[in-house]
Amino acid sequence: MPGNRGVSYEGAGRVEVRETDYPDYELKDGPGVNPANVGRKLPHAAILKSVATNICGSDQHMVRGRTTAPTGLVLGHEITGEVVDTGPDVEFIKTGDLVSVPFNIACGRCRNCKEGKTGICEHVNPDRPGSAYGYVDMGGWVGGQADYVLVPYADWNLLKFPDKDQAMEKILDLAMLADIFPTGFHGCVSAGVQPGSTVYIAGAGPVGLAAACSAFLLGAAVVIVGDLNKERLDQARSFGCETVNVAEGEPKDQIEQILGAPEVDCAVDAVGFEARGHGKDSETERPATVLNTVMDVTRAGGALGIPGLYVTGDPGAADESAQRGSLSIQIGLGWAKSLSFVTGQCPVMRYNRQLMQAILHDRVQIAKAVNATPISLDDAPRGYHEFDEGAARKYVLDPHGMLASR
């Protein structure tokens, strides 16, 4: 049996690459594992050799100490891998398959899964519907920023790439299917983006850039991306986006300069709960700012996609209400404008097969759009630090050196 290493959260601002257990077909006790899940048998699971496993902004919230994540938690929910073993109940997935792993863990059996709502599966997290690998309060499934990882309900969860050699030629693009590409796409679909739409996307991190790329794929006429980070705004402009620097003032005024009107058809919040203010408040955390802004800049009768992460427990928040996830949202504005809202985890399986086809048939270059950058597993602490400093990159960990020549 080979050894295993994983990227472990070691307290606010620190991650380390540590020796960890090789996956087993039973969920063991460990950091963050829900006691009700300990001892759970997993004959339906597969063991994957991680080919690509990405650092996500959602991971960064934990690493900054902004959640209740326990130390020792192995991180990582964006996984692409090669199947090296399967449990006795796995029927269709085979050893050697190259696969994408939706970050949502779903059983395929509950009511929500059968309705396509795989982000809120009822059977994988004893505390509440919805689960993910290597994430706080998500049931305790071990993360995939590691050499090897276990995927439960393998026949249901895994998306097999049809041609392994073709997939390896586009592996950096396909690595985005585990989370950020479907998440950005879901944000745009939820917001009603269609041919000819004008779209405002708050946030030029990887999810925001993936949403911008998705908006173009859906036929948007104008995509405007707002952020505080010049390098990330430059990255958005590199594939055709208009941009607004929210440090310079309210997005509404800058949108009017671009469009000749202060409103867009649709808007996407790709920032989440660590949002800062705009203009003179841009150095101060204002967690409701983005939600209120996307309501303000979206036309009456429009819709908002909100894939940005919001939490029920934020120990680092500035006030007691925000620590409980209670924000000062102008719901009256949203009501008056008859706006629609869609929040929550993206149900990755709703989109990943179609987006895979778009990648394989050269309809989109998502890795280029988000500036996907491979680094070794040992370099994960550096990747987390540079990402936290605002690097305009999507860091992709390469545990076995399979991306180095790509």
Side-chain angles (χ1 to χ4, degrees):
M1 181 182 296
N4 196 18
R5 298 178 305 153
V7 179
S8 171
Y9 170 62
E10 296 298 319
R14 288 198 305 122
V15 298
E16 294 182 12
V17 180
R18 293 186 173 276
E19 297 291 325
T20 188
D21 292 336
Y22 187 80
D24 188 21
Y25 294 106
E26 179 180 321
L27 197 55
K28 301 291 201 306
D29 196 9
V33 179
N34 191 298
N37 262 347
V38 174
R40 186 169 180 166
K41 306 295 184 183
L42 307 168
H44 44 68
I47 297 172
L48 270 57
K49 176 182 179 180
S50 296
V51 173
T53 176
N54 314 336
I55 296 175
C56 180
S58 299
D59 299 320
Q60 202 73 31
H61 292 304
M62 288 189 291
V63 173
R64 291 189 188 115
R66 295 297 297 267
T67 72
T68 56
T71 58
L73 182 71
V74 175
L75 304 169
H77 57 270
E78 300 189 20
I79 308 160
T80 307
E82 181 182 18
V83 177
V84 294
D85 194 50
T86 59
D89 289 353
V90 177
E91 187 175 0
F92 302 109
I93 289 293
K94 304 298 182 186
T95 299
D97 287 347
L98 190 62
V99 295
S100 178
V101 185
F103 80 90
N104 324 107
I105 302 174
C107 71
R109 296 154 165 81
C110 70
R111 174 180 176 176
N112 284 340
C113 283
K114 290 178 179 179
E115 292 177 356
K117 301 172 184 175
T118 54
I120 44 174
C121 173
E122 297 174 336
H123 290 161
V124 289
N125 182 358
D127 283 340
R128 65 179 68 88
S131 190
Y133 304 88
Y135 211 83
V136 59
D137 295 333
M138 288 290 190
W141 301 88
V142 178
Q145 288 175 14
D147 292 315
Y148 298 91
V149 63
L150 186 85
V151 175
Y153 304 103
D155 281 329
W156 168 252
N157 282 306
L158 294 177
L159 174 66
K160 177 184 173 182
F161 301 138
D163 184 290
K164 198 170 181 178
D165 291 335
Q166 181 193 25
M168 285 305 298
E169 289 298 321
K170 297 178 179 292
I171 193 63
L172 278 181
D173 294 281
L174 294 169
M176 302 304 121
L177 291 173
D179 183 353
I180 66 163
F181 194 12
T183 293
F185 194 84
H186 177 61
C188 289
V189 170
S190 301
V193 177
Q194 58 187 339
S197 293
T198 57
V199 187
Y200 176 65
I201 295 170
V207 171
L209 295 172
C213 188
S214 299
F216 283 126
L217 188 61
L218 288 163
V222 183
V223 179
I224 304 170
V225 178
D227 205 290
L228 301 156
N229 182 312
K230 181 182 181 300
E231 186 181 358
R232 290 180 173 180
L233 291 174
D234 289 343
Q235 181 64 25
R237 283 193 294 273
S238 75
F239 60 96
C241 300
E242 301 286 343
T243 60
V244 299
N245 189 331
V246 299
E248 297 175 0
E250 289 300 323
K252 194 169 190 175
D253 300 330
Q254 299 178 65
I255 288 170
E256 185 169 19
Q257 293 174 19
I258 295 167
L259 297 177
E263 290 184 328
V264 292
D265 296 322
C266 331
V268 176
D269 171 4
V271 178
F273 73 101
E274 288 191 67
R276 296 185 190 177
H278 296 154
K280 60 182 175 58
D281 292 327
S282 62
E283 296 301 317
T284 306
E285 194 167 298
R286 296 280 190 269
T289 295
V290 171
L291 288 169
N292 290 329
T293 294
V294 292
M295 285 190 282
D296 188 37
V297 304
T298 302
R299 68 174 182 84
L304 311 176
I306 309 175
L309 175 67
Y310 290 88
V311 295
T312 56
D314 175 9
D319 60 68
E320 186 176 343
S321 293
Q323 289 173 9
R324 302 191 307 272
S326 180
L327 309 180
S328 299
I329 299 168
Q330 294 176 280
I331 192 66
L333 174 63
W335 188 93
K337 296 178 77 173
S338 294
L339 298 175
S340 301
F341 301 73
V342 176
T343 67
Q345 286 188 37
C346 163
V348 171
M349 293 174 69
R350 189 178 299 173
Y351 308 107
N352 63 351
R353 185 174 298 278
Q354 299 95 312
L355 295 177
M356 174 187 73
Q357 296 285 20
I359 290 169
L360 294 177
H361 294 283
D362 299 317
R363 293 294 180 264
V364 65
Q365 293 182 303
I366 184 64
K368 184 176 180 181
V370 302
N371 197 14
T373 304
I375 60 175
S376 71
L377 189 69
D378 288 323
D379 276 340
R382 173 177 67 84
Y384 269 96
H385 174 73
E386 292 179 2
F387 189 36
D388 192 44
E389 291 292 306
R393 298 178 181 275
K394 176 66 173 178
Y395 285 104
V396 181
L397 303 181
D398 182 11
H400 298 278
M402 299 175 74
L403 311 180
S405 62
R406 300 290 167 180

